Amino acid sequence: MPSGFFEGIEEIRFEGVDSDNPMAFRHYNPDEVVMGKRLEDHLRFAVAWWHSFAWEGGDPFGGPTFERPWHPQDDMGRARLKADIAFEMFELLGQPFFCWHDADIRPEQGNFADNLKTLEEITDYIGEKMQTSSTKLLWGTANMFSHRRWMSGASTNPDPDVFAFAAATVKSCLDATHKLGGENYVLWGGREGYETLLNTDLNTELDHMGRFLNMVVEYKHKIGFKGTILVEPKPQEPSKHQYDYDAATCVGFLRKYGLESEVKLNLEQGHAILAGHSFEHEIAVAAAEGMLGSIDMNRNDYQSGWDTDQFPNNTPEVALAYYYILKAGGFTTGGTNFDAKVRRQSLDAKDLVAAHIGGMDICARGLKAAAAMIEDGGLEDALSERYSGWNAPEAASMLNSSLEDISARVLQDNINPEPRSGRQEILENYVNRFV
Ligand code: XUL
Ligand code: CO
């Protein structure tokens, strides 16, 4: 028996670009084949349990606005109702994946033993629902930032008891992710950072975080979890400074602690913007290091300057993100998670479904534009041409020579470089032909 929450909303279908039905896909046809692969298999969309079902509509100035039948989530009955509603929405949208934090799916009990018990109970319940559903788990994660116990960090907390609580919590979430067949496990350290350097021992905190992550990887192998461990960069918010600042910082951290072949990155559009980067920059940096794992596809408001977690709606931005993802070979275990929430005034079930329709449509449109650019090859040709000087043997051999040898050659051949155009506007115009 459906709950009635989505009453009046039919299964969302692909109707094509000429459709004016706001509750239909215009670009996302899961079965459309692009570069030899179905769109659904390229994009691997996931619904975020926290924003879509747990979040109650509060902001820093006001309380809940949504008043869903399963809010507030303080008992297991409502946790189960929330799961029922979630799976109803997955079905309506044909969602291939979902993601959760422990705190989104079970009520907070205030102590570890009871948190563990309710997590096991609710993940058994979700597991039963998955038996008759085609929606799978993209990733699970532990919320180690909301409860007051985490206020000074989780693995970086000066109090060893909090480190212990964090280790036990991640173990329980990794177990639950494994039980549900999750394809990845994410760690985002919202409180792994500091409010002030004055009370912070940076070296100790980073060493603890590095050891903690190594223990996560050791445990993953012990239980035979085949998914990917992902860390999610974000420069700040809620902490003033977060150690996983951006992709480049995470790459350095993973190398320092010997994790470069074990851990990849979950990159979020809004976090890239907060770090002062474009999303495609973060993706390209991770891809260059072989550490591109998964993405959280949500934008920020460009004026308000904080993490507003809105659904994507900008085709050119999304297209460039997928261009660098496709160029890196596409997702393996990763996917496109909508770490996005409807606005506080968007009260209706219809708003929640329409937000996902729009996000999926924009991503499909962006991916198709990206694939067209790859197939056309214009950007790749321009790159090859720009670096073609390095194909000459005397150029390539320079990298294995020395400053003295190169200096001698500059004198002997009278090398005097002629500046050449970077062709930025021409390339930007090229991209605009596709988006
Ligand atoms: C916070 C954020 C998180 C992570 C998972 O900004 O993005 O939701 O994705 O903890
Ligand atoms: Co995120």
Side-chain angles (χ1 to χ4, degrees), residues 50-51 139 188 232 266-268 271 296 298 309 337 339:
W50 51 104
H51 285 319
W139 47 265
W188 169 64
E232 183 175 326
N266 181 43
L267 300 163
E268 175 164 328
H271 298 178
D296 278 2
N298 42 275
D309 286 331
N337 171 43
D339 189 354

Side-chain angles (χ1 to χ4, degrees), residues 158-208:
D159 179 351
D161 282 353
V162 181
F163 184 98
F165 204 110
T169 300
V170 169
K171 177 186 177 295
S172 71
C173 289
L174 200 47
D175 285 337
T177 302
H178 187 38
K179 176 173 81 182
L180 296 179
E183 302 201 10
N184 307 269
Y185 183 83
V186 167
L187 295 108
W188 169 64
R191 308 271 178 203
E192 308 289 37
Y194 61 76
E195 293 304 316
T196 172
L197 258 186
L198 298 175
N199 66 12
T200 304
D201 178 346
L202 272 184
N203 264 340
T204 297
E205 294 205 355
L206 284 166
D207 281 352
H208 289 180

Side-chain angles (χ1 to χ4, degrees), residues 100 116-128 130-131 137 172-182 223 225:
W100 50 254
L116 178 63
K117 189 165 160 284
T118 47
L119 181 69
E120 282 173 352
E121 249 175 76
I122 196 70
T123 46
D124 283 344
Y125 187 71
I126 290 173
E128 274 165 38
M130 290 171 77
Q131 305 270 306
L137 179 61
S172 71
C173 289
L174 200 47
D175 285 337
T177 302
H178 187 38
K179 176 173 81 182
L180 296 179
I223 61 174
F225 177 66

Side-chain angles (χ1 to χ4, degrees), residues 11-78:
E11 212 167 283
I12 309 305
R13 298 186 190 286
F14 171 72
E15 293 184 4
V17 284
D18 295 329
S19 172
D20 59 4
N21 176 3
M23 300 306 276
F25 296 121
R26 298 172 64 247
H27 301 277
Y28 178 59
N29 172 5
D31 292 320
E32 182 177 343
V33 174
V34 173
M35 287 173 69
K37 206 160 142 182
R38 293 171 64 247
L39 266 188
E40 183 178 87
D41 302 331
H42 269 295
L43 291 158
R44 295 167 60 84
F45 288 129
V47 172
W49 205 285
W50 51 104
H51 285 319
S52 288
F53 308 112
W55 186 54
E56 298 180 10
D59 72 7
F61 293 86
T65 56
F66 292 155
E67 301 184 343
R68 308 289 194 217
W70 58 91
H71 289 164
Q73 193 211 290
D74 50 10
D75 66 34
M76 282 302 283
R78 282 198 279 260

